[in-house]
Amino acid sequence: MTDALTADHARGAGEDSSRPAVRHFLKDSDLSPAEQAEVLDLAAALKAAPHSRTPLAHGDARETVAVIFDKTSTRTRFSFAAGIAELGGQALIVNPGESQIGHKESVEDTARILERTVSAIVWRTFGQAGLETMARFSRVPVVNALSDEFHPCQILADLLTVREEFGTTAGRTLAYIGDAANNMASSYALGGALAGMHVRLCGPQGYRPDPAVVEEAQRIAGETGGSVAVVDEPREAVSGADVVATDTWVSMGQEGQKSERAGAFEGFRVTEELMALARPEAVFLHCLPAYRGVEVDADVIDGSRSRVWDEAENRRHAQKALLVWLLQRAEASSSFVDRRPEVSA
Ligand code: CP
């Protein structure tokens, strides 16, 4: 089933079915469980030896990766820029408001331009549909750097952090407390299920997970030995968990709902008292930016169980691994034009 999903997203430029498919990463389940494990293995190797792979370098020449932001960013921007440089390439960062995509020029036409100019397209945007269109018309890999629906690069970093902590993801329980309808919750469901984790999603009424995502995640979990459950009570959700995670209660674009959300999420803050119900060795994750005293208490995020700084660092390693993995497959599928300079022997 995940392979079928992969095939749906895989072929760029729509028309040419004679050519092997380009792989994209628009949502967590664009990787199969085995592929996700491959990327995480590579991420660990690249963390140990950051300059060991330079697929974007060709002598003195460097390939370019477009990194486009329709929304603001700190971690995603810096981790992709630094990671692409470590891979021997250069990141062309496009800040919010600087491009014509979607308002002066269609996503289709943008994809047609970019695929002739850059080696990969990393895009933080609003709706998932834009990413799907970009991927359909691009013969270079497209990566979701956060959409309203999913944040799959963040989950790769989180899974790497869990592996570092416990040696494995399979069989570990992750409790996500907060806005269980947001992109992080959806990506935890899918990505955690792929990794064989037991994922519990816990949010208040009105902020519960998308049933379609839960259904897909449960199908995946059926293959990997994991599980995905929707739990109403935070105390029940964190009971015996290995990982407790949360996210801001007000995601980008929801600023107008701040006071309404503050009321709705009462009782869903991650406190020391809540953490005490998790396993003694449990760790705390937050994709950041965090609001201390709102979704998490300062003594949790700044305490000994917090792994948020490792998690933030792991964005770079996980994304580098993902790019290496995607670029290898893009090279295998490329039959239309080789833009790269000759590599001298
Ligand atoms: N976690 C995350 O995506 O951070 P930024 O919004 O700073 O990129």
Side-chain angles (χ1 to χ4, degrees), residues 72-77 124 146 151 154 252 287-289 315:
T72 56
S73 165
T74 298
R75 273 146 297 278
T76 305
R77 181 188 165 125
R124 167 169 289 194
L146 179 147
H151 198 359
Q154 180 68 56
M252 282 181 261
C287 66
L288 305 175
R315 289 292 300 275

Side-chain angles (χ1 to χ4, degrees), residues 278-306:
R279 293 184 66 191
E281 64 270 40
V283 296
F284 172 76
L285 297 182
H286 189 312
C287 66
L288 305 175
Y291 298 89
R292 289 167 173 79
V294 183
E295 74 272 10
V296 58
D297 275 347
D299 51 6
V300 173
I301 192 167
D302 298 320
S304 61
R305 304 227 244 175
S306 175

Side-chain angles (χ1 to χ4, degrees), residues 5 7 13 27 58 61 63 90 111 167 177 180 182 195 198 205 221 224 231 268 304 311 322 339:
L5 284 167
K27 62 191 282 199
H58 305 280
E63 292 186 38
Q90 60 183 359
I177 312 296
N182 76 6
H198 301 294
Q205 188 95 42
T224 63
V231 180
F268 285 76
S304 61
E311 181 187 7
L322 176 73
R339 293 179 301 278

Side-chain angles (χ1 to χ4, degrees), residues 72-313:
T72 56
S73 165
T74 298
R75 273 146 297 278
T76 305
R77 181 188 165 125
F78 287 108
S79 58
F80 268 110
I84 289 163
E86 287 179 3
L87 294 176
Q90 60 183 359
L92 177 56
I93 305 275
V94 179
N95 288 311
E98 286 181 353
S99 90
Q100 304 176 136
I101 306 174
H103 58 107
K104 285 188 180 168
E105 190 162 29
S106 69
V107 174
E108 291 90 322
D109 286 359
T110 305
R112 291 176 173 122
I113 303 303
L114 291 185
E115 70 159 16
R116 289 163 180 262
T117 310
V118 300
S119 301
I121 301 165
V122 176
W123 189 16
R124 167 169 289 194
T125 188
F126 294 90
Q128 191 75 5
L131 283 157
E132 285 166 6
T133 303
M134 185 77 88
R136 201 158 56 246
F137 287 87
S138 170
R139 286 177 285 194
V140 298
V142 177
V143 172
N144 180 355
L146 179 147
S147 65
D148 292 342
E149 286 88 345
F150 300 103
H151 198 359
C153 288
Q154 180 68 56
I155 273 28
L156 287 178
D158 288 27
L159 293 172
L160 180 60
T161 312
V162 172
R163 278 171 51 144
E164 288 172 346
E165 191 67 31
F166 299 110
T168 178
T169 52
R172 295 289 172 174
T173 297
L174 181 146
Y176 172 85
I177 312 296
D179 184 356
N182 76 6
N183 48 13
M184 281 298 295
S186 294
S187 279
Y188 272 130
L190 293 176
L194 286 160
M197 296 188 79
H198 301 294
V199 181
R200 300 173 186 161
L201 301 175
C202 178
Q205 188 95 42
Y207 301 93
R208 302 233 163 96
D210 178 348
V213 171
V214 172
E215 193 185 327
E216 181 183 357
Q218 286 175 336
R219 274 204 318 270
I220 295 168
E223 293 176 2
T224 63
S227 64
V228 178
V230 180
V231 180
D232 292 346
E233 289 299 320
R235 296 171 69 86
E236 184 191 340
V238 302
S239 177
D242 299 291
V243 182
V244 178
T246 189
D247 186 13
T248 177
W249 292 342
V250 183
S251 292
M252 282 181 261
Q254 299 169 342
E255 290 77 6
Q257 304 167 28
K258 199 169 174 178
S259 57
E260 167 193 334
R261 284 173 168 260
F265 287 101
E266 209 173 319
F268 285 76
R269 176 182 307 154
V270 179
T271 60
E272 280 285 16
E273 187 202 359
L274 200 63
M275 286 298 294
L277 300 174
R279 293 184 66 191
E281 64 270 40
V283 296
F284 172 76
L285 297 182
H286 189 312
C287 66
L288 305 175
Y291 298 89
R292 289 167 173 79
V294 183
E295 74 272 10
V296 58
D297 275 347
D299 51 6
V300 173
I301 192 167
D302 298 320
S304 61
R305 304 227 244 175
S306 175
R307 295 293 178 271
V308 299
W309 313 121
D310 296 320
E311 181 187 7
E313 179 190 336

